[in-house]
Amino acid sequence: MKKLMSGNAALGEAAVLSGCTCYFGYPITPQNELTEYMAKRMGELGRVFIQSESEIAAINMVLGASVAGARAMTSSSSPGMSLKQEGISYLAADELPAVIVDMVRGGPGMGNISPAQSDYLQATRGGGHGDYKTIVLAPGSVQELTDVVPLAFDLADKYRNPVVILGDGMLGQMMEPVSFDDIKPPKEYPKDYILTGAKGRPARMVRSLLFDTKEEEEHNWKLVRKYQRMESSEVRYETYLTDDAEMIVVAYGIGARIVRGAIKRLRQENLKVGMIRPITVWPFPAAAIQEMAKTVHDFFVFEMCAGQMIEDVRLALAGKGHIHFYGRPGGIIPTPIELYRIIARHYYTAARRKK
Amino acid sequence: MTTKTIFSGFGGQGVLSMGFTLANAAMLEGKYVTYLPSYGVEVRGGTANCTVVVSDEEIASPVASEPEFVVAMNQPSFARFQSILQSGGLLCVNASLVNTASARSDIEVLAIPTSELAEKLGTIKVANMIMLGALIKASSIISFDAMIKNLAELLGEGRSKLIKLNREALETGFNYVKE
Amino acid sequence: MKKAYVKPKTLKEAHFHYCPGCGHGIINRLLMEVIDEMGLREKAICVAPAGCGMLLYNYFDIDTLESAHGRGAAVATGIKRVRPDNLVFSYQGDGDLAAIGTAEGFHAANRGEPISIIFVNNGVYGMTGGQMAPTTLKQQVTTTTPLGRNPILAGHPVRICEVFSMLDGTSYLERVAVNKPAAVIKTKKAIKKAFQCQLDGKGFSLVEILSPCPTNWKMGTIEACRWIDEVMAKQFPIGVVKEIS
């Protein structure tokens, strides 16, 4: 059965159904409905909910809950995510699972509360200090936002690593019909690292301080190997009309959805435009783009920011092909018609160049 | 077909619930639908608006830069949103509060005296449902009969006492608009 | 013959890294004595800080998490909410609790989280080399107050117990010291009381321990112990600050 729900509330329900037993959050627009939803639902279910004194406290409560063995989540939006980075770095270093939701808004600084995609680099490069990565899932509809939640908890447990769900203000605020029929709690992994009190076993310690540089290097290589496993196993993306495409748009999240509308119009005029939509923006579908570059010359990157994912596309193409770019920073959402016009213009320019 | 409607007015006029009811009714009819509220700092007394897109196919954007329909429940909303209405679009105004003298000449204006009609039903609170009935008659975005049939579900649990009143309000608006 | 002095079972066979005359070693040992005597080894979860106390997991044979600087109370909150039946305590220094982690400590106290904080107040940032702490006394010389702490420029020493006592969520707050045998015995009793307060579900407890740091105070070890009584305890009066029965 479908229900008309906002992305924020739907994500909350999906977290509840995924077996999230602890939620910690601090109010910030445009994700407040998620915190409010969790306050109500976690209370009803006798699970843990705390409105923390700050985003810093929230992420550290997540860390505490995670080290105690719970499935824990926090959520925020851009300025709050900056504050959470310290804790995310510790979660990664301590190898603790957690799910962190970021409903991105315009920035830098206070910015505004409109939807944006300007925190791509923060999310995909670790975001805090040190050599670490987080898996970053970037859904494009309320249903997909819901569907990635059990996946996020599963990946977090599987790799013992924080996982970020990268949404935006629009995805959080908009309502769409959503079904929870397929949301099942992910499997439980053996947790031989959690702190429960050293009953009938040697004491455990969970830490990231490794004074011995050799030990620290070994630990970091171990993390790197884990990230390499993620890169080889966890890349997720969707292609749309790429088979005969002469130009491929790279876009994610809500941006990709608008691109889809633009491509429908472009196709009506026989412009052979397709799209690759990364669902994991880290690990990035670089190999898929490289494969496409064997037959396609023109790649068009669209982002609701001044250009961040374009760096990953550049790295993937490694000098091959030609990259076109259109960005709208500052919380502005372009229309499908606007994108249709821009992409068409670039398409014709590219066609002339080829002649 | 894809139709985009912006509902606008004072906070407290039931503008968001109008949009939510339409979106919900469209969903129950099996259509693709998105509902996007404006989320500002003011809650009451300020302007409120939301955008509802209803379609037979996947919806690319929940934002309507050039909507086919605008509902304006007060003067500031009329001024703000008539300018972005598509040429040939329909502007449903709350004639009880809005002076439409400055309306664009390339759009259709449907004036509904919602306050007066609502008072006949005994409460100003249903002015929004009267307007929604009128919009559905004039736009055919969704099936009116299906909506009436789903009314209990649309109003939600614990509101069964309100079904009759809301039904009357929707019908009042629907019947006010001539073919 | 009965041994008068034995190492607590829960204290590992390791040499403390602390400087000569430092109070941390005494406090570490007291904690493990209390854990042993109360039979809490299999129940205890310790949150270690950043600072001189950060390596205590090398000494404590109990489950331990190392927290980020200042976040001990938030992390302990997360653990305790998941495992209400465990004894959860956070070990924090003055920079950790009274500067960078004030918000986390204050709000855990205000929520009445049933956790215990062992707050080691030695008036300086020890591990980083003796900089001014929020608890540094007026006119006290540190590496960042070379002319002595001038309250007009650098503020006043923070009395955490008194500040926290204003919060309705706190149940037991006591200030003690480890500068002489009688004080050490009192400190041990205070730690026991704090843990018992937690086990009894009474709420938030904190023991503030005035602890000598001869290295950074630039004093001899005995001089440092005397200075606690003669100078430090004037700003930070010893005794129970709050106790809800």
Side-chain angles (χ1 to χ4, degrees), chain A residues 53 56 61 64 68 86 196-198 200-201 204-206 208-209, chain C residues 41-42 57 63-66 68 71 74-75 79 83 86 104 107 111:
Chain A
E53 59 272 22
I56 298 173
M61 289 174 188
E86 174 196 79
T196 57
R201 59 161 171 79
R204 291 172 182 158
M205 61 180 171
V206 175
S208 59
L209 174 74
Chain C
R41 191 223 162 235
E42 297 188 333
Y57 45 69
D63 276 8
T64 304
L65 169 81
E66 169 203 86
R71 315 296 172 228
V75 169
I79 297 173
R83 304 204 164 271
N86 284 83
E104 287 80 0
H107 287 280
R111 285 190 303 266

PDB file of all heavy atoms in Angstrom, chain A residues 53 56 61 64 68 86 196-198 200-201 204-206 208-209, chain C residues 41-42 57 63-66 68 71 74-75 79 83 86 104 107 111:
ATOM      1  N   GLU A  53      22.271  18.327  22.366  1.00  0.00           N
ATOM      2  CA  GLU A  53      22.585  19.739  22.539  1.00  0.00           C
ATOM      3  C   GLU A  53      23.319  20.318  21.332  1.00  0.00           C
ATOM      4  O   GLU A  53      23.472  21.527  21.227  1.00  0.00           O
ATOM      5  CB  GLU A  53      23.407  19.948  23.818  1.00  0.00           C
ATOM      6  CG  GLU A  53      24.732  19.189  23.871  1.00  0.00           C
ATOM      7  CD  GLU A  53      24.573  17.768  24.443  1.00  0.00           C
ATOM      8  OE1 GLU A  53      23.456  17.232  24.411  1.00  0.00           O
ATOM      9  OE2 GLU A  53      25.593  17.212  24.909  1.00  0.00           O
ATOM     10  N   ILE A  56      27.452  17.910  17.228  1.00  0.00           N
ATOM     11  CA  ILE A  56      28.665  17.233  17.708  1.00  0.00           C
ATOM     12  C   ILE A  56      28.271  16.178  18.742  1.00  0.00           C
ATOM     13  O   ILE A  56      28.737  15.044  18.712  1.00  0.00           O
ATOM     14  CB  ILE A  56      29.651  18.247  18.335  1.00  0.00           C
ATOM     15  CG1 ILE A  56      30.094  19.260  17.276  1.00  0.00           C
ATOM     16  CG2 ILE A  56      30.861  17.538  18.932  1.00  0.00           C
ATOM     17  CD1 ILE A  56      30.938  20.392  17.828  1.00  0.00           C
ATOM     18  N   MET A  61      26.921  10.590  20.396  1.00  0.00           N
ATOM     19  CA  MET A  61      25.953   9.661  20.992  1.00  0.00           C
ATOM     20  C   MET A  61      25.770   8.465  20.063  1.00  0.00           C
ATOM     21  O   MET A  61      25.668   7.316  20.520  1.00  0.00           O
ATOM     22  CB  MET A  61      24.611  10.365  21.220  1.00  0.00           C
ATOM     23  CG  MET A  61      24.658  11.376  22.345  1.00  0.00           C
ATOM     24  SD  MET A  61      23.109  12.301  22.450  1.00  0.00           S
ATOM     25  CE  MET A  61      23.549  13.548  23.659  1.00  0.00           C
ATOM     26  N   GLY A  64      28.649   6.247  20.658  1.00  0.00           N
ATOM     27  CA  GLY A  64      28.473   5.483  21.901  1.00  0.00           C
ATOM     28  C   GLY A  64      27.483   4.344  21.724  1.00  0.00           C
ATOM     29  O   GLY A  64      27.731   3.211  22.144  1.00  0.00           O
ATOM     30  N   ALA A  68      28.172   0.260  21.672  1.00  0.00           N
ATOM     31  CA  ALA A  68      27.430  -0.601  22.596  1.00  0.00           C
ATOM     32  C   ALA A  68      26.616  -1.650  21.834  1.00  0.00           C
ATOM     33  O   ALA A  68      25.921  -2.443  22.442  1.00  0.00           O
ATOM     34  CB  ALA A  68      26.520   0.251  23.478  1.00  0.00           C
ATOM     35  N   GLU A  86      33.889  15.611  12.790  1.00  0.00           N
ATOM     36  CA  GLU A  86      34.814  15.087  13.796  1.00  0.00           C
ATOM     37  C   GLU A  86      34.404  13.661  14.193  1.00  0.00           C
ATOM     38  O   GLU A  86      35.209  12.725  14.148  1.00  0.00           O
ATOM     39  CB  GLU A  86      34.798  15.984  15.040  1.00  0.00           C
ATOM     40  CG  GLU A  86      35.631  15.434  16.185  1.00  0.00           C
ATOM     41  CD  GLU A  86      35.312  16.112  17.503  1.00  0.00           C
ATOM     42  OE1 GLU A  86      34.289  15.771  18.137  1.00  0.00           O
ATOM     43  OE2 GLU A  86      36.088  16.983  17.903  1.00  0.00           O
ATOM     44  N   THR A 196      30.310  -4.436  26.121  1.00  0.00           N
ATOM     45  CA  THR A 196      29.124  -4.885  26.849  1.00  0.00           C
ATOM     46  C   THR A 196      29.441  -5.101  28.326  1.00  0.00           C
ATOM     47  O   THR A 196      28.592  -5.534  29.080  1.00  0.00           O
ATOM     48  CB  THR A 196      28.630  -6.225  26.270  1.00  0.00           C
ATOM     49  OG1 THR A 196      29.708  -7.166  26.343  1.00  0.00           O
ATOM     50  CG2 THR A 196      28.210  -6.103  24.808  1.00  0.00           C
ATOM     51  N   GLY A 197      30.680  -4.797  28.707  1.00  0.00           N
ATOM     52  CA  GLY A 197      31.181  -5.228  30.007  1.00  0.00           C
ATOM     53  C   GLY A 197      31.900  -6.544  29.767  1.00  0.00           C
ATOM     54  O   GLY A 197      31.376  -7.425  29.093  1.00  0.00           O
ATOM     55  N   ALA A 198      33.123  -6.679  30.330  1.00  0.00           N
ATOM     56  CA  ALA A 198      33.962  -7.839  30.002  1.00  0.00           C
ATOM     57  C   ALA A 198      33.530  -9.064  30.784  1.00  0.00           C
ATOM     58  O   ALA A 198      34.242  -9.553  31.663  1.00  0.00           O
ATOM     59  CB  ALA A 198      35.427  -7.508  30.263  1.00  0.00           C
ATOM     60  N   GLY A 200      33.053 -12.800  31.218  1.00  0.00           N
ATOM     61  CA  GLY A 200      33.511 -14.077  30.703  1.00  0.00           C
ATOM     62  C   GLY A 200      34.384 -13.974  29.459  1.00  0.00           C
ATOM     63  O   GLY A 200      34.448 -14.886  28.655  1.00  0.00           O
ATOM     64  N   ARG A 201      35.007 -12.857  29.280  1.00  0.00           N
ATOM     65  CA  ARG A 201      35.925 -12.679  28.146  1.00  0.00           C
ATOM     66  C   ARG A 201      36.931 -11.597  28.507  1.00  0.00           C
ATOM     67  O   ARG A 201      36.688 -10.811  29.428  1.00  0.00           O
ATOM     68  CB  ARG A 201      35.158 -12.292  26.876  1.00  0.00           C
ATOM     69  CG  ARG A 201      34.359 -10.999  27.018  1.00  0.00           C
ATOM     70  CD  ARG A 201      33.990 -10.394  25.677  1.00  0.00           C
ATOM     71  NE  ARG A 201      33.062  -9.284  25.798  1.00  0.00           N
ATOM     72  CZ  ARG A 201      33.400  -8.049  26.145  1.00  0.00           C
ATOM     73  NH1 ARG A 201      34.660  -7.745  26.445  1.00  0.00           N
ATOM     74  NH2 ARG A 201      32.487  -7.100  26.209  1.00  0.00           N
ATOM     75  N   ARG A 204      37.770  -5.485  26.198  1.00  0.00           N
ATOM     76  CA  ARG A 204      37.987  -4.939  24.846  1.00  0.00           C
ATOM     77  C   ARG A 204      38.257  -3.452  24.943  1.00  0.00           C
ATOM     78  O   ARG A 204      37.757  -2.789  25.841  1.00  0.00           O
ATOM     79  CB  ARG A 204      36.727  -5.134  23.993  1.00  0.00           C
ATOM     80  CG  ARG A 204      36.448  -6.577  23.643  1.00  0.00           C
ATOM     81  CD  ARG A 204      35.088  -6.707  22.973  1.00  0.00           C
ATOM     82  NE  ARG A 204      34.817  -8.107  22.678  1.00  0.00           N
ATOM     83  CZ  ARG A 204      33.584  -8.588  22.490  1.00  0.00           C
ATOM     84  NH1 ARG A 204      32.537  -7.798  22.549  1.00  0.00           N
ATOM     85  NH2 ARG A 204      33.418  -9.871  22.224  1.00  0.00           N
ATOM     86  N   MET A 205      39.028  -2.978  23.971  1.00  0.00           N
ATOM     87  CA  MET A 205      39.121  -1.522  23.872  1.00  0.00           C
ATOM     88  C   MET A 205      38.905  -1.104  22.433  1.00  0.00           C
ATOM     89  O   MET A 205      39.313  -1.775  21.497  1.00  0.00           O
ATOM     90  CB  MET A 205      40.448  -1.013  24.410  1.00  0.00           C
ATOM     91  CG  MET A 205      41.663  -1.517  23.697  1.00  0.00           C
ATOM     92  SD  MET A 205      43.098  -0.800  24.494  1.00  0.00           S
ATOM     93  CE  MET A 205      44.415  -1.707  23.715  1.00  0.00           C
ATOM     94  N   VAL A 206      38.189  -0.011  22.294  1.00  0.00           N
ATOM     95  CA  VAL A 206      37.927   0.557  20.970  1.00  0.00           C
ATOM     96  C   VAL A 206      38.576   1.923  20.965  1.00  0.00           C
ATOM     97  O   VAL A 206      38.270   2.770  21.803  1.00  0.00           O
ATOM     98  CB  VAL A 206      36.410   0.654  20.705  1.00  0.00           C
ATOM     99  CG1 VAL A 206      36.150   1.369  19.378  1.00  0.00           C
ATOM    100  CG2 VAL A 206      35.777  -0.732  20.702  1.00  0.00           C
ATOM    101  N   SER A 208      41.219   4.918  18.529  1.00  0.00           N
ATOM    102  CA  SER A 208      41.851   5.291  17.262  1.00  0.00           C
ATOM    103  C   SER A 208      43.232   5.883  17.486  1.00  0.00           C
ATOM    104  O   SER A 208      43.934   6.196  16.544  1.00  0.00           O
ATOM    105  CB  SER A 208      40.967   6.295  16.513  1.00  0.00           C
ATOM    106  OG  SER A 208      40.763   7.440  17.317  1.00  0.00           O
ATOM    107  N   LEU A 209      43.601   6.031  18.763  1.00  0.00           N
ATOM    108  CA  LEU A 209      44.935   6.576  19.053  1.00  0.00           C
ATOM    109  C   LEU A 209      45.965   5.468  18.926  1.00  0.00           C
ATOM    110  O   LEU A 209      45.911   4.474  19.648  1.00  0.00           O
ATOM    111  CB  LEU A 209      44.976   7.141  20.478  1.00  0.00           C
ATOM    112  CG  LEU A 209      46.361   7.602  20.957  1.00  0.00           C
ATOM    113  CD1 LEU A 209      46.758   8.909  20.291  1.00  0.00           C
ATOM    114  CD2 LEU A 209      46.399   7.737  22.459  1.00  0.00           C
TER     115      LEU A 209
ATOM    116  N   ARG C  41      33.736  -5.487  37.550  1.00  0.00           N
ATOM    117  CA  ARG C  41      34.633  -5.653  36.410  1.00  0.00           C
ATOM    118  C   ARG C  41      33.897  -6.074  35.145  1.00  0.00           C
ATOM    119  O   ARG C  41      34.187  -5.609  34.043  1.00  0.00           O
ATOM    120  CB  ARG C  41      35.726  -6.671  36.745  1.00  0.00           C
ATOM    121  CG  ARG C  41      36.844  -6.684  35.711  1.00  0.00           C
ATOM    122  CD  ARG C  41      37.283  -8.094  35.348  1.00  0.00           C
ATOM    123  NE  ARG C  41      38.011  -8.098  34.102  1.00  0.00           N
ATOM    124  CZ  ARG C  41      37.680  -8.848  33.060  1.00  0.00           C
ATOM    125  NH1 ARG C  41      36.631  -9.631  33.109  1.00  0.00           N
ATOM    126  NH2 ARG C  41      38.390  -8.804  31.945  1.00  0.00           N
ATOM    127  N   GLU C  42      32.898  -6.932  35.302  1.00  0.00           N
ATOM    128  CA  GLU C  42      32.191  -7.453  34.127  1.00  0.00           C
ATOM    129  C   GLU C  42      31.018  -6.574  33.712  1.00  0.00           C
ATOM    130  O   GLU C  42      30.305  -6.878  32.770  1.00  0.00           O
ATOM    131  CB  GLU C  42      31.709  -8.877  34.423  1.00  0.00           C
ATOM    132  CG  GLU C  42      32.872  -9.822  34.679  1.00  0.00           C
ATOM    133  CD  GLU C  42      32.447 -11.267  34.790  1.00  0.00           C
ATOM    134  OE1 GLU C  42      31.289 -11.502  35.183  1.00  0.00           O
ATOM    135  OE2 GLU C  42      33.266 -12.148  34.461  1.00  0.00           O
ATOM    136  N   TYR C  57      43.417   2.822  29.140  1.00  0.00           N
ATOM    137  CA  TYR C  57      43.039   1.469  28.719  1.00  0.00           C
ATOM    138  C   TYR C  57      44.239   0.528  28.705  1.00  0.00           C
ATOM    139  O   TYR C  57      44.076  -0.668  28.579  1.00  0.00           O
ATOM    140  CB  TYR C  57      42.308   1.469  27.366  1.00  0.00           C
ATOM    141  CG  TYR C  57      42.915   2.336  26.301  1.00  0.00           C
ATOM    142  CD1 TYR C  57      44.140   2.030  25.723  1.00  0.00           C
ATOM    143  CD2 TYR C  57      42.231   3.466  25.864  1.00  0.00           C
ATOM    144  CE1 TYR C  57      44.668   2.828  24.739  1.00  0.00           C
ATOM    145  CE2 TYR C  57      42.766   4.274  24.876  1.00  0.00           C
ATOM    146  CZ  TYR C  57      43.990   3.954  24.318  1.00  0.00           C
ATOM    147  OH  TYR C  57      44.517   4.752  23.346  1.00  0.00           O
ATOM    148  N   ASP C  63      36.183  -3.119  29.694  1.00  0.00           N
ATOM    149  CA  ASP C  63      35.827  -2.605  28.375  1.00  0.00           C
ATOM    150  C   ASP C  63      35.975  -1.080  28.354  1.00  0.00           C
ATOM    151  O   ASP C  63      35.450  -0.392  29.229  1.00  0.00           O
ATOM    152  CB  ASP C  63      34.375  -2.982  28.031  1.00  0.00           C
ATOM    153  CG  ASP C  63      34.279  -4.384  27.439  1.00  0.00           C
ATOM    154  OD1 ASP C  63      35.308  -5.093  27.440  1.00  0.00           O
ATOM    155  OD2 ASP C  63      33.184  -4.759  26.973  1.00  0.00           O
ATOM    156  N   THR C  64      36.686  -0.604  27.341  1.00  0.00           N
ATOM    157  CA  THR C  64      36.977   0.831  27.294  1.00  0.00           C
ATOM    158  C   THR C  64      36.868   1.370  25.870  1.00  0.00           C
ATOM    159  O   THR C  64      37.296   0.743  24.916  1.00  0.00           O
ATOM    160  CB  THR C  64      38.415   1.101  27.812  1.00  0.00           C
ATOM    161  OG1 THR C  64      38.535   0.555  29.124  1.00  0.00           O
ATOM    162  CG2 THR C  64      38.712   2.589  27.872  1.00  0.00           C
ATOM    163  N   LEU C  65      36.284   2.545  25.767  1.00  0.00           N
ATOM    164  CA  LEU C  65      36.254   3.263  24.500  1.00  0.00           C
ATOM    165  C   LEU C  65      37.042   4.541  24.668  1.00  0.00           C
ATOM    166  O   LEU C  65      36.902   5.233  25.682  1.00  0.00           O
ATOM    167  CB  LEU C  65      34.812   3.638  24.127  1.00  0.00           C
ATOM    168  CG  LEU C  65      34.712   4.613  22.951  1.00  0.00           C
ATOM    169  CD1 LEU C  65      34.846   3.882  21.625  1.00  0.00           C
ATOM    170  CD2 LEU C  65      33.433   5.404  22.986  1.00  0.00           C
ATOM    171  N   GLU C  66      37.847   4.865  23.669  1.00  0.00           N
ATOM    172  CA  GLU C  66      38.545   6.134  23.702  1.00  0.00           C
ATOM    173  C   GLU C  66      37.705   7.155  22.962  1.00  0.00           C
ATOM    174  O   GLU C  66      37.352   6.967  21.800  1.00  0.00           O
ATOM    175  CB  GLU C  66      39.910   5.948  23.028  1.00  0.00           C
ATOM    176  CG  GLU C  66      40.655   7.208  22.734  1.00  0.00           C
ATOM    177  CD  GLU C  66      41.648   6.928  21.619  1.00  0.00           C
ATOM    178  OE1 GLU C  66      41.264   7.017  20.440  1.00  0.00           O
ATOM    179  OE2 GLU C  66      42.780   6.570  21.947  1.00  0.00           O
ATOM    180  N   ALA C  68      36.649  11.115  21.563  1.00  0.00           N
ATOM    181  CA  ALA C  68      37.278  12.349  21.082  1.00  0.00           C
ATOM    182  C   ALA C  68      37.325  13.339  22.237  1.00  0.00           C
ATOM    183  O   ALA C  68      36.561  13.242  23.189  1.00  0.00           O
ATOM    184  CB  ALA C  68      36.476  12.917  19.923  1.00  0.00           C
ATOM    185  N   ARG C  71      34.172  14.799  24.260  1.00  0.00           N
ATOM    186  CA  ARG C  71      32.890  14.204  23.907  1.00  0.00           C
ATOM    187  C   ARG C  71      32.484  13.045  24.814  1.00  0.00           C
ATOM    188  O   ARG C  71      31.519  12.339  24.531  1.00  0.00           O
ATOM    189  CB  ARG C  71      32.920  13.706  22.456  1.00  0.00           C
ATOM    190  CG  ARG C  71      33.541  14.672  21.467  1.00  0.00           C
ATOM    191  CD  ARG C  71      32.762  15.967  21.319  1.00  0.00           C
ATOM    192  NE  ARG C  71      33.513  16.912  20.516  1.00  0.00           N
ATOM    193  CZ  ARG C  71      33.728  18.181  20.829  1.00  0.00           C
ATOM    194  NH1 ARG C  71      33.234  18.685  21.944  1.00  0.00           N
ATOM    195  NH2 ARG C  71      34.430  18.957  20.039  1.00  0.00           N
ATOM    196  N   ALA C  74      28.827  12.677  25.938  1.00  0.00           N
ATOM    197  CA  ALA C  74      27.888  12.334  24.852  1.00  0.00           C
ATOM    198  C   ALA C  74      28.032  10.856  24.498  1.00  0.00           C
ATOM    199  O   ALA C  74      27.034  10.143  24.325  1.00  0.00           O
ATOM    200  CB  ALA C  74      28.139  13.205  23.624  1.00  0.00           C
ATOM    201  N   VAL C  75      29.266  10.395  24.391  1.00  0.00           N
ATOM    202  CA  VAL C  75      29.523   8.992  24.065  1.00  0.00           C
ATOM    203  C   VAL C  75      28.983   8.086  25.174  1.00  0.00           C
ATOM    204  O   VAL C  75      28.306   7.085  24.915  1.00  0.00           O
ATOM    205  CB  VAL C  75      31.036   8.764  23.847  1.00  0.00           C
ATOM    206  CG1 VAL C  75      31.343   7.292  23.784  1.00  0.00           C
ATOM    207  CG2 VAL C  75      31.501   9.459  22.563  1.00  0.00           C
ATOM    208  N   ILE C  79      26.158   5.019  25.073  1.00  0.00           N
ATOM    209  CA  ILE C  79      26.386   3.658  25.590  1.00  0.00           C
ATOM    210  C   ILE C  79      25.345   3.310  26.654  1.00  0.00           C
ATOM    211  O   ILE C  79      24.717   2.257  26.614  1.00  0.00           O
ATOM    212  CB  ILE C  79      27.811   3.537  26.203  1.00  0.00           C
ATOM    213  CG1 ILE C  79      28.875   3.764  25.122  1.00  0.00           C
ATOM    214  CG2 ILE C  79      28.000   2.169  26.867  1.00  0.00           C
ATOM    215  CD1 ILE C  79      30.301   3.830  25.649  1.00  0.00           C
ATOM    216  N   ARG C  83      22.764   0.315  26.970  1.00  0.00           N
ATOM    217  CA  ARG C  83      23.058  -0.694  27.988  1.00  0.00           C
ATOM    218  C   ARG C  83      22.823  -0.126  29.383  1.00  0.00           C
ATOM    219  O   ARG C  83      23.768   0.116  30.140  1.00  0.00           O
ATOM    220  CB  ARG C  83      24.512  -1.181  27.844  1.00  0.00           C
ATOM    221  CG  ARG C  83      24.785  -1.711  26.448  1.00  0.00           C
ATOM    222  CD  ARG C  83      25.918  -2.694  26.369  1.00  0.00           C
ATOM    223  NE  ARG C  83      25.842  -3.401  25.099  1.00  0.00           N
ATOM    224  CZ  ARG C  83      25.149  -4.509  24.913  1.00  0.00           C
ATOM    225  NH1 ARG C  83      24.491  -5.068  25.899  1.00  0.00           N
ATOM    226  NH2 ARG C  83      25.108  -5.073  23.705  1.00  0.00           N
ATOM    227  N   ASN C  86      24.645  -1.626  32.496  1.00  0.00           N
ATOM    228  CA  ASN C  86      26.095  -1.547  32.711  1.00  0.00           C
ATOM    229  C   ASN C  86      26.445  -0.325  33.557  1.00  0.00           C
ATOM    230  O   ASN C  86      25.667   0.622  33.647  1.00  0.00           O
ATOM    231  CB  ASN C  86      26.828  -1.457  31.366  1.00  0.00           C
ATOM    232  CG  ASN C  86      26.888  -2.797  30.664  1.00  0.00           C
ATOM    233  OD1 ASN C  86      25.942  -3.188  29.989  1.00  0.00           O
ATOM    234  ND2 ASN C  86      27.989  -3.505  30.820  1.00  0.00           N
ATOM    235  N   GLU C 104      28.678  19.064  26.220  1.00  0.00           N
ATOM    236  CA  GLU C 104      28.324  17.647  26.347  1.00  0.00           C
ATOM    237  C   GLU C 104      28.152  17.265  27.822  1.00  0.00           C
ATOM    238  O   GLU C 104      27.201  16.577  28.189  1.00  0.00           O
ATOM    239  CB  GLU C 104      29.394  16.767  25.688  1.00  0.00           C
ATOM    240  CG  GLU C 104      29.394  16.798  24.156  1.00  0.00           C
ATOM    241  CD  GLU C 104      30.090  18.009  23.566  1.00  0.00           C
ATOM    242  OE1 GLU C 104      30.588  18.865  24.337  1.00  0.00           O
ATOM    243  OE2 GLU C 104      30.143  18.126  22.325  1.00  0.00           O
ATOM    244  N   HIS C 107      24.971  19.104  29.426  1.00  0.00           N
ATOM    245  CA  HIS C 107      23.657  18.597  29.015  1.00  0.00           C
ATOM    246  C   HIS C 107      23.426  17.142  29.430  1.00  0.00           C
ATOM    247  O   HIS C 107      22.292  16.764  29.694  1.00  0.00           O
ATOM    248  CB  HIS C 107      23.443  18.814  27.520  1.00  0.00           C
ATOM    249  CG  HIS C 107      23.196  20.251  27.204  1.00  0.00           C
ATOM    250  ND1 HIS C 107      21.968  20.840  27.375  1.00  0.00           N
ATOM    251  CD2 HIS C 107      24.035  21.229  26.798  1.00  0.00           C
ATOM    252  CE1 HIS C 107      22.055  22.124  27.077  1.00  0.00           C
ATOM    253  NE2 HIS C 107      23.303  22.386  26.714  1.00  0.00           N
ATOM    254  N   ARG C 111      20.280  16.347  31.672  1.00  0.00           N
ATOM    255  CA  ARG C 111      19.312  15.281  31.363  1.00  0.00           C
ATOM    256  C   ARG C 111      19.255  14.251  32.500  1.00  0.00           C
ATOM    257  O   ARG C 111      18.428  13.357  32.475  1.00  0.00           O
ATOM    258  CB  ARG C 111      19.711  14.554  30.065  1.00  0.00           C
ATOM    259  CG  ARG C 111      19.435  15.316  28.770  1.00  0.00           C
ATOM    260  CD  ARG C 111      19.644  14.415  27.540  1.00  0.00           C
ATOM    261  NE  ARG C 111      20.972  13.846  27.493  1.00  0.00           N
ATOM    262  CZ  ARG C 111      22.006  14.363  26.844  1.00  0.00           C
ATOM    263  NH1 ARG C 111      21.862  15.470  26.149  1.00  0.00           N
ATOM    264  NH2 ARG C 111      23.178  13.775  26.872  1.00  0.00           N
TER     265      ARG C 111
END
